[in-house]
Amino acid sequence: MTDSYVYAAARTPFGKFAGALAGIRPDDLAALAVNGVLAKVPELDPSGIDDVVWGNANGAGEDNRNVGRMAVLLAGLPTSVPATTVNRLCGSSLDAAIMASRAIETGDADIVLTGGVESMTRAPWVLPKPERGYPVGDVTAVSTAVGWRLVNERMPKEWTVSLGEANEQLAGRFGVPRERQDEFAVRSHNLADAAWAAGFYDDLVTPVATDGKGGTLARDEGIRPGSTIDKLAALRPAFRPDGVITAGNSSPLNDGASAVLLGSGAAATRIGADPLARVAGRGVFALEPQMFGFAPVEAANRALKSAGITWSDVSAVELNEAFAVQALACVDAWKIDPAIVNAKGGAIALGHPLGASGGRLLGTLAHRLKESGGRWGVAAICIGVGQALTVVLENVTETGR
């Protein structure tokens, strides 16, 4: 067995639903992320990439089933570079990195390019095929952008509630009030804005040309500088008339792509760069589908155990903010200092294009550790239908030694 390392990370800015990236196909977004991360390692011959593992939660439209392979071809890589696409919903690109790390550690690969993409704007409506031709009556088109679709009637009703309703239940179960969720959301926007202003994301985000007339998106589109508790308090509940979850304390719908290059220690010469972080631990866990927001708690605990460390060793956490309530419930359960969580902003501000978010978390975490000099970091994400994934990174840059 050998170790696996994160060598480079890049992503597109995350666009708002029907926003600046709405005119770009998901396979083109994925190709932009591929080229973005390879631009950081110019000495690497792309023909030396053993595999590409790509995440995508949709696949029903322009993603064209295996969007990873489409990205490789559209990015201009040699046709000899293979690619697969994995779907663990919101955790897809983190799962891609986990799969790549295992392949490297077992010796099946030396260099693996991973990432993920989602265009929630361009996700198509789908129609179920009739069991026989020309059925009588109307047929309903179903959106594939987010959530359950074409639900099997054998599924228990309590499992198939909306994502928002599931988190209303979570708020009630753990006693997380609206005010605390809004405070967390404001923090996310203000930290994201500050991180951009300080230049943290300059090396992580590759600007995207949005049209043929010189238009460019260079920054995450959903950040609201100057957000306040009063502004969020004025928003109406989104899922229950008397609920606590609003559009302001939930992640939005987004478009974007991320990429992370992993390799063995011996691959450094071919890559032409020193690694940023070692993949030190992995964890996966699942609960009842409606409890998905709380699943990262045990996934992270398992990843820490596999890394041989405890929460007291961790200096940086990247936890996907699908909803403020679920992020707060996890932080409370871990009993960690909230200040180490999403210190550069989170998904409520930056955005959550489903298949791309795991790669964003991992890349951000590696760069936070490099910047701070902290040794250990955790990237965790909740996943619809009750699942969660976590990766533990160890800083191996000069700052971490």
Side-chain angles (χ1 to χ4, degrees):
M1 296 286 288
T2 187
D3 287 325
S4 59
Y5 298 89
V6 172
Y7 276 87
R11 65 176 178 89
T12 70
F14 288 172
K16 296 191 295 188
F17 187 85
L21 300 183
I24 304 178
R25 291 171 54 112
D27 47 2
D28 285 324
L29 280 174
L32 289 169
V34 168
N35 285 328
V37 76
L38 291 181
K40 297 181 180 305
V41 286
E43 293 183 30
L44 173 63
D45 180 353
S47 66
I49 296 172
D50 295 305
D51 203 0
V52 174
V53 187
W54 207 257
N56 180 238
N58 199 317
E62 295 165 328
D63 318 79
N64 205 1
R65 296 187 176 92
N66 186 1
V67 71
R69 177 62 173 169
M70 306 304 160
V72 165
L73 297 174
L74 290 168
L77 272 63
T79 56
S80 59
V81 177
T84 188
T85 299
V86 299
N87 184 352
R88 204 190 287 254
L89 302 181
C90 305
S92 296
S93 52
L94 195 60
D95 211 10
I98 287 173
M99 292 179 181
S101 67
R102 288 175 180 146
I104 291 164
E105 289 166 18
T106 59
D108 286 345
D110 206 33
I111 301 172
V112 183
L113 175 60
T114 75
V117 66
E118 212 73 53
S119 176
M120 300 178 82
T121 299
R122 299 176 72 95
W125 293 287
V126 297
L127 292 172
K129 278 188 177 180
E131 296 174 4
R132 54 186 177 180
Y134 306 106
V136 176
D138 298 332
V139 179
T140 301
V142 179
S143 173
T144 64
V146 67
W148 293 83
R149 66 190 74 143
L150 304 177
V151 180
N152 191 315
E153 62 181 15
R154 295 176 55 235
M155 286 281 186
K157 298 300 182 185
E158 63 269 23
W159 288 359
T160 62
V161 297
S162 71
L163 302 179
E165 171 57 27
N167 279 272
E168 286 283 3
Q169 294 177 20
L170 201 67
R173 179 167 180 170
F174 292 102
V176 183
R178 163 84 181 262
E179 294 76 16
R180 203 175 160 215
Q181 296 176 50
D182 287 350
E183 288 172 1
F184 185 85
V186 167
R187 173 185 183 269
S188 184
H189 283 284
N190 291 338
L191 287 176
D193 184 48
W196 270 105
F200 175 81
Y201 286 113
D202 292 351
D203 189 48
L204 275 168
V205 177
T206 302
V208 173
T210 56
D211 55 41
K213 304 175 183 178
T216 301
L217 182 66
R219 173 179 160 127
D220 300 305
E221 198 175 12
I223 301 171
R224 296 192 293 273
S227 290
T228 66
I229 303 297
D230 289 343
K231 289 179 181 178
L232 265 65
L235 297 176
R236 294 180 179 180
F239 301 98
R240 292 182 183 177
D242 60 345
V244 295
I245 295 176
T246 71
N249 57 36
S250 310
S251 63
L253 305 183
N254 296 94
D255 309 328
S258 65
V260 181
L261 182 71
L262 288 90
S264 67
T269 301
R270 287 198 291 138
I271 293 172
D274 293 326
L276 298 171
R278 179 177 70 91
V279 177
R282 298 170 288 252
V284 60
F285 190 65
L287 293 167
E288 297 89 345
Q290 71 275 23
M291 285 289 291
F292 73 93
F294 198 63
V297 173
E298 182 58 22
N301 290 339
R302 293 184 177 195
L304 290 171
K305 184 178 180 179
S306 72
I309 62 172
T310 67
W311 279 113
S312 64
D313 299 304
V314 175
S315 64
V317 176
E318 284 295 313
L319 171 63
N320 197 55
E321 302 166 354
F323 294 83
V325 62
Q326 62 82 205
L328 287 166
C330 291
V331 172
D332 289 349
W334 290 326
K335 295 180 173 60
I336 58 175
D337 181 358
I340 71 171
V341 180
N342 300 350
K344 307 299 182 180
I348 289 174
L350 301 172
H352 179 26
L354 307 180
S357 288
R360 176 190 71 79
L361 295 172
L362 204 61
T364 301
L365 180 64
H367 279 255
R368 279 185 61 192
L369 292 173
K370 179 182 178 181
E371 178 189 67
S372 69
R375 182 177 178 184
W376 301 101
V378 170
I381 192 164
C382 68
I383 301 166
V385 202
Q387 299 190 87
L389 288 171
T390 298
V391 169
V392 174
L393 292 183
E394 181 186 17
N395 183 3
V396 296
T397 67
E398 291 290 339
T399 65
R401 294 172 186 161

